Amino acid sequence: MLYHGTPTGGLNIIKANAKSHTTGKKVAYFSEDRCYALVCCRRRDENFVTMGPDNDGKQHYFERFPDQLRTLYSGRRGYLYLLESTDGLSCGKGHSWESEIDVPVYKCEVVEDVYHEILKEEQMGNIIIHRYSEIDPAEQKEVANVIKKEYQETASEEMRRFYIKHFSTLWD
């Protein structure tokens, strides 16, 4: 089973309108990991994903500001669009799959509280969550200052607002 997560309901087709991390072409993205698709159920103005597979094959989520997971997902509805097959898709990075053409939806799962579902995935061992309070303070500061540099140099206006809201108190 492949998943496509989004905060947008009512889709019949997943459009190939995201930029591929491998080819740079426009693609529709899917994941083998339900927990990764859940993390994609966030608003566009919160396009901040700090997750990916590690050497153990599991997805690892790193909070980069206090209560990041709860802040981004608690009380939020999400939609997981499902595909049964990888036919016509190419394997991307990690556990992802890509399609250069729009893909019809097979089925949709409505998730009433994405945060609650992510915690269920954690309990099942499908995701390792590295909470902000558990991360070495030196690493916390290093990440915050990398974000500050991006804020100053390349961030879009939308991401600048996000960074100010969640990171400015953490900067040097």
Side-chain angles (χ1 to χ4, degrees):
M1 191 67 63
L2 295 178
Y3 304 90
H4 177 88
T6 177
T8 306
L11 301 179
N12 295 317
I13 293 174
I14 305 303
K15 294 189 178 243
N17 60 8
K19 185 177 179 181
S20 170
H21 298 298
T22 54
T23 67
K25 295 179 180 179
K26 293 288 185 178
V27 297
Y29 267 114
F30 301 90
S31 178
E32 297 171 9
D33 298 318
R34 182 177 182 273
C35 57
Y36 190 86
L38 285 166
V39 171
C40 293
C41 295
R42 69 202 171 324
R43 296 188 328 234
R44 181 186 159 128
D45 64 338
E46 297 176 332
N47 190 15
F48 189 73
V49 178
T50 54
M51 180 172 165
D54 203 349
N55 294 335
D56 60 7
K58 293 186 179 186
Q59 292 286 348
H60 286 250
Y61 185 97
F62 292 85
E63 286 192 325
R64 295 307 187 188
F65 60 85
D67 287 323
Q68 176 180 323
L69 198 64
R70 181 186 310 273
T71 300
L72 296 181
Y73 300 103
S74 184
R76 306 266 178 100
R77 177 179 287 154
Y79 300 86
L80 299 182
Y81 294 96
L82 287 69
L83 298 182
E84 286 187 297
S85 166
T86 59
D87 292 348
L89 279 68
S90 59
C91 192
K93 293 172 78 174
H95 302 162
S96 70
W97 290 81
E98 303 176 350
S99 172
E100 291 183 13
I101 61 172
D102 298 348
V103 179
V105 169
Y106 161 69
K107 185 178 176 183
C108 178
E109 174 189 351
V110 179
V111 178
E112 292 301 329
D113 188 319
V114 175
Y115 177 69
H116 181 70
E117 280 303 305
I118 293 171
L119 295 182
K120 280 186 188 176
E121 291 284 337
E122 179 185 32
Q123 290 171 348
M124 292 185 291
N126 297 329
I127 180 174
I128 309 298
I129 300 172
H130 302 271
R131 288 171 173 77
Y132 186 81
S133 62
E134 301 164 353
I135 295 173
D136 180 279
E139 183 180 338
Q140 292 173 352
K141 186 56 76 176
E142 180 182 338
V143 169
N145 286 323
V146 166
I147 294 293
K148 181 180 182 180
K149 185 175 181 176
E150 182 175 334
Y151 167 82
Q152 294 169 330
E153 296 176 3
T154 62
S156 67
E157 191 57 38
E158 194 170 57
M159 286 309 294
R160 289 172 64 85
R161 286 190 296 271
F162 179 86
Y163 291 156
I164 286 287
K165 181 177 180 180
H166 299 292
F167 286 96
S168 61
T169 60
L170 307 174
W171 293 338
D172 284 336

